[in-house]
Amino acid sequence: MTILCVRFQLPPMYEAALPGLLGLLEEFTPVVEALPPDGALADLRGAERYFGRDAVELASVIRVRALARYGVDCAIGAGPGPMLARVALREARPGVTRAVPADAVAEFLAGKPVTALPGVGAATARTLDEYGLDTLGRVAAAPLSTLQRLIGARAGRELREKASGVDRGRVVPNAVSRSLVTERTFSLDELDPDRHRRALLSATEEIGARLRAVEKVCRTLTLTVRYADRSATTRSRALREPTAHSAALTRTAYGMYEALGLQRARVRALALRAEDLTPADRAAHQLTFDPVDEKTRRLEETADRARAKFGPHAVFPGTLAA
């Protein structure tokens, strides 16, 4: 068991704590793949040798550190590969690691429904169920030609391999950078749209600066509004072009916020996530020849230098939480 799949038990308004929790995993291995909004895969093959402990023992240490540093518990699945660790996570609970021994994979999978495998949807499950292939054990025992006739040549071959416990997946390191998230939490339920907009402005300024610092641009921006009753609304919007330009991010965030048509909504927090990140040097930028836009970009460069020298609070508006 060398792969862990970890799901942090993050309260709704603490999604922004995920980067720090991922950093905790990176203390054990550099091979960490983020699974936003609250999980990650970690390959511990090197860590097992280095620390002289197996993956389950290391999982206990990770859990204790997450509780001690962040007050966050986690559910952990462990297995010989990423797919098996993710399946094991479904049976895990906070405080207990569900492990799949390498010599008991077939037994572990046999009685599970086909939907237990990541990527197998309801439509595929219904098709297989019509022919009595309702468990992974039955799928593994079925002739390959039958599966290929039912769901296609490639899909049938891959499904049979997975149902038999063949896990060809791998943990992709540095996938943490696929998204960046920040959150603005109000100390009291906030009804004032102007304060909502100021919070969004602060958040987009931070997201833009963080993107520029790592030389990335984003293609999609996601806004989550959390309310006093603990419900939430999430909206995503593709940007006109990949960007790290704070003004463009702000316009998009404002547009999503206005489209919600909130009236007297008691807002507890606003979160922004920049997604589909790519290196800035690979992204095309449409020249506008707009002197205002060019001036804004020069001001951003100056502000970035100030942040680098004096820290982020030299420029960013402070968080709204007490």
Side-chain angles (χ1 to χ4, degrees):
M1 295 167 291
T2 59
I3 307 297
L4 296 184
C5 186
V6 184
R7 178 177 295 127
F8 297 104
Q9 306 297 302
L10 289 174
M13 292 186 294
Y14 290 91
E15 183 180 329
L18 183 60
L21 291 164
L22 296 175
L24 187 154
L25 293 177
E26 290 173 346
E27 295 176 8
F28 295 87
T29 172
V31 189
V32 175
E33 178 177 352
L35 301 176
D38 59 0
L41 289 167
D43 188 332
L44 298 182
R45 281 177 291 186
E48 288 178 315
R49 293 191 297 269
Y50 182 82
F51 293 103
R53 299 183 181 183
D54 63 26
V56 174
E57 292 172 324
L58 292 173
S60 298
V61 178
I62 290 169
R63 179 178 293 108
V64 169
R65 292 188 181 181
L67 281 167
R69 297 181 188 177
Y70 298 93
V72 173
D73 203 349
C74 52
I76 302 177
M83 179 199 74
L84 293 165
R86 294 177 76 164
V87 174
L89 177 65
R90 298 189 176 199
E91 299 182 1
R93 63 182 189 275
V96 177
T97 298
R98 180 63 169 100
V100 184
D103 58 357
V105 170
E107 180 182 350
F108 171 75
L109 293 175
K112 288 182 169 46
V114 292
T115 52
L117 292 179
V120 177
T124 298
R126 284 195 299 269
T127 299
L128 295 170
D129 187 60
E130 290 174 359
Y131 292 86
L133 302 174
D134 56 347
T135 67
L136 294 176
R138 291 176 177 174
V139 170
L144 176 60
S145 58
T146 298
L147 295 173
Q148 290 180 322
R149 283 197 301 271
L150 293 176
I151 62 174
R154 180 177 178 180
R157 182 177 62 256
E158 292 180 351
L159 177 61
R160 192 167 186 268
E161 284 187 350
K162 291 178 179 179
S164 301
V166 178
D167 191 347
R168 301 186 187 279
R170 64 188 184 91
V171 180
V172 180
N174 301 325
V176 175
S177 62
R178 288 180 181 174
S179 67
L180 288 176
V181 63
T182 190
E183 188 169 67
R184 295 295 181 267
T185 303
F186 299 96
S187 56
L188 297 174
D189 301 337
E190 184 55 66
L191 288 77
D192 187 351
D194 289 337
R195 286 182 61 82
H196 298 166
R197 290 171 65 89
R198 287 200 295 272
L200 288 176
L201 175 61
S202 170
T204 53
E205 288 286 345
E206 179 183 337
I207 286 284
R210 290 170 60 189
L211 286 170
R212 295 189 296 272
V214 296
E215 299 182 348
K216 297 285 181 103
V217 293
C218 72
R219 299 175 182 273
T220 304
L221 197 63
T222 297
L223 168 66
T224 300
V225 182
R226 307 193 194 281
Y227 306 103
D229 62 359
R230 297 190 177 184
S231 64
T233 302
T234 299
R235 293 290 185 271
S236 294
R237 184 170 294 183
L239 298 163
R240 294 176 59 185
E241 64 179 25
T243 188
H245 186 24
S246 294
L249 298 174
T250 302
R251 286 193 297 269
T252 303
Y254 282 175
M256 288 188 288
Y257 173 80
E258 297 297 339
L260 291 176
L262 300 180
Q263 295 182 358
R264 303 291 296 174
R266 297 170 60 197
V267 175
R268 177 55 60 88
L270 297 163
L272 279 178
R273 180 187 296 279
E275 299 177 306
D276 300 329
L277 306 192
T278 56
D281 58 4
R282 298 181 187 175
H285 169 56
Q286 180 66 45
L287 297 177
T288 64
F289 300 103
D290 181 353
V292 175
D293 183 70
E294 293 302 317
K295 181 180 180 180
T296 302
R297 291 178 185 273
R298 288 196 299 271
L299 289 173
E300 280 183 349
E301 294 175 0
T302 302
D304 290 342
R305 288 194 294 270
R307 291 185 185 98
K309 184 174 182 180
F310 300 109
H313 295 292
V315 180
F316 291 157
T319 60
L320 299 178

